[in-house]
Amino acid sequence: MATFPVINLEKLNGAERSTTMDKINDACENWGFFQVLNHGIPHDFLDTVERLTKEHYKKCMEQRFKELVASKALEGLQAEVTDMDWESTFYIRHLPQSNVAEIPDLTDEYRNVMKEFAVKLENLAEELLDLFCENLGLEKGYLKMAFNGSKGPTFGTKVSNYPPCPTPDKIKGLRAHTDAGGIILLFQDPIVGGLQILKNGEWVDVPPMRHSFVINLGDQLEVISNGRYRSVEHRVMTQTQGSRMSIASFYNPGSDAIIYPAPALVENEAEEKKEWYPKFVFEDYMKLYAGMKFQAKEPRFEAMKATATA
């Protein structure tokens, strides 16, 4: 089986730029996921993010999760649970307007670090989008502009912990799904694994790697690239040992952004391929996704197409 793609972004600055761009393109076309190293975000800063996130979970969220498990009778599961996930989460919104000041229980240090983290991740997301533009033959900045609604993109972070689970065969950490949005940047636990992606009908482990980011493409990039790039199903498996940290940042279109295949990528396609992906307002897609997240993406595209036609 092919090895999960790991890309050293430092090599974009030298003689290996062309080879590195090819690796990024191959990952976007054939995996929908890749891992990046030497991304410009200092390792000591990431160590601080990891430390504060794990401290916050232990202090503020671990007991709540145990109470939830008890209230839902999830401790001694006999049958598979398919309508909920074994995860403890909170969300931070960064753009168009931050809510980090309103999130309860965060220390001042953690709050400030997450503000800085958001700025660094926003920059990395936009750098990656421009690399995608280059590979797709789109003008620089096209994808960022495509994401801009009247207030710019939406950007937020889901901070998750996946605690040890006594019945990992009965419940997932997170059920299989594709991501609805644009580009997702995941800072994950460097030791405890669990993330898997679907590749050619088989589930492939995404290896934990310290100081790296796992990048994946959402449904909107599949639409804008007219299917050149793909959003891919992924899931989180529970583990009996170790608590897995997951900090996923979602750089998405603005709520009123109009999403459609880039004309430059459609004009040379066969007639049937030209009509495959719909045109829609991102917020409308998200409303549909809310009820269909854990289903295949194709019916979502078809539903949006039917709405547009109507």
Side-chain angles (χ1 to χ4, degrees):
M1 183 178 287
T3 308
F4 186 83
V6 178
I7 293 165
N8 181 353
L9 294 183
E10 212 168 44
K11 293 189 175 180
L12 289 168
N13 302 320
E16 294 181 64
R17 178 181 171 81
S18 177
T19 305
T20 305
M21 288 296 287
D22 287 344
K23 286 180 180 176
I24 293 171
N25 194 57
D26 179 73
C28 290
E29 288 186 348
N30 297 308
W31 290 81
F33 271 78
F34 56 96
Q35 201 150 203
V36 295
L37 302 172
N38 296 317
H39 37 65
I41 299 176
H43 290 180
D44 59 347
F45 177 75
L46 293 178
D47 290 339
T48 299
V49 172
E50 180 185 346
R51 174 178 61 81
L52 292 173
T53 299
K54 291 182 175 180
E55 286 175 1
H56 176 263
Y57 174 73
K58 292 293 285 185
K59 181 182 175 187
C60 302
M61 301 189 73
E62 186 174 44
Q63 186 57 37
R64 282 183 225 161
F65 183 77
K66 288 177 180 176
E67 289 167 5
L68 173 71
V69 166
S71 71
K72 300 284 187 183
L74 296 176
E75 277 175 326
L77 292 172
Q78 300 299 313
E80 187 174 2
V81 173
T82 58
D83 61 350
M84 62 185 300
D85 303 304
W86 186 273
E87 64 172 354
S88 169
T89 66
F90 69 94
Y91 297 85
I92 305 173
R93 187 178 66 248
H94 310 303
L95 296 174
Q97 195 167 352
S98 174
N99 72 343
V100 70
E102 300 154 27
I103 305 226
D105 303 327
L106 302 186
T107 63
D108 288 343
E109 182 187 14
Y110 192 24
R111 219 178 287 278
N112 290 330
V113 163
M114 291 311 284
K115 283 184 192 172
E116 189 178 347
F117 183 75
V119 172
K120 293 180 187 301
L121 268 286
E122 181 186 350
N123 290 336
L124 179 57
E126 292 176 354
E127 287 170 21
L128 289 166
L129 287 175
D130 276 342
L131 295 176
F132 298 169
C133 285
E134 187 176 335
N135 274 332
L136 289 165
L138 300 171
E139 62 184 280
K140 186 176 181 179
Y142 181 92
L143 290 171
K144 183 183 175 184
M145 287 301 297
F147 282 18
N148 276 353
S150 58
K151 297 177 183 174
T154 52
F155 184 44
T157 297
K158 176 187 176 187
V159 182
S160 305
N161 270 277
Y162 298 94
C165 177
T167 53
D169 58 327
K170 297 293 190 289
I171 188 168
K172 302 285 189 298
L174 183 59
R175 288 160 285 165
H177 64 288
T178 66
D179 288 325
I183 182 171
I184 300 87
L185 306 94
L186 170 66
F187 178 47
Q188 68 167 344
D189 200 282
I191 298 168
V192 182
L195 177 62
Q196 295 182 330
I197 70 166
L198 193 61
K199 169 95 169 134
N200 299 330
E202 294 185 15
W203 289 102
V204 177
D205 291 326
V206 178
M209 192 175 291
R210 189 173 290 280
H211 302 139
S212 71
F213 282 92
V214 176
I215 310 300
N216 73 284
L217 313 184
D219 295 346
Q220 308 311 303
L221 281 179
E222 178 167 336
V223 172
I224 296 170
S225 71
N226 202 41
R228 273 269 305 272
Y229 291 173
R230 296 278 175 165
S231 61
V232 167
E233 269 192 76
H234 51 286
R235 66 185 185 183
V236 176
M237 303 301 286
T238 46
Q239 313 287 330
T240 54
Q241 301 292 321
S243 185
R244 177 179 175 266
M245 176 197 77
S246 164
I247 306 175
S249 296
F250 298 79
Y251 186 103
N252 291 344
S255 59
D256 61 353
I258 299 172
I259 303 300
Y260 54 91
L265 300 180
V266 175
E267 57 191 23
N268 295 324
E269 293 283 6
E271 211 52 48
E272 64 274 10
K273 186 80 187 288
K274 288 183 181 182
E275 302 297 326
W276 179 250
Y277 290 99
K279 181 177 184 178
F280 52 83
V281 176
F282 179 61
E283 187 174 32
D284 292 340
Y285 188 84
M286 289 305 291
K287 287 175 184 172
L288 183 73
Y289 180 83
M292 300 175 70
K293 174 176 178 176
F294 299 109
Q295 300 174 33
K297 64 189 170 185
E298 289 78 11
R300 298 196 292 264
F301 293 150
E302 288 297 331
M304 296 312 297
K305 199 185 297 184
T307 304
T309 305

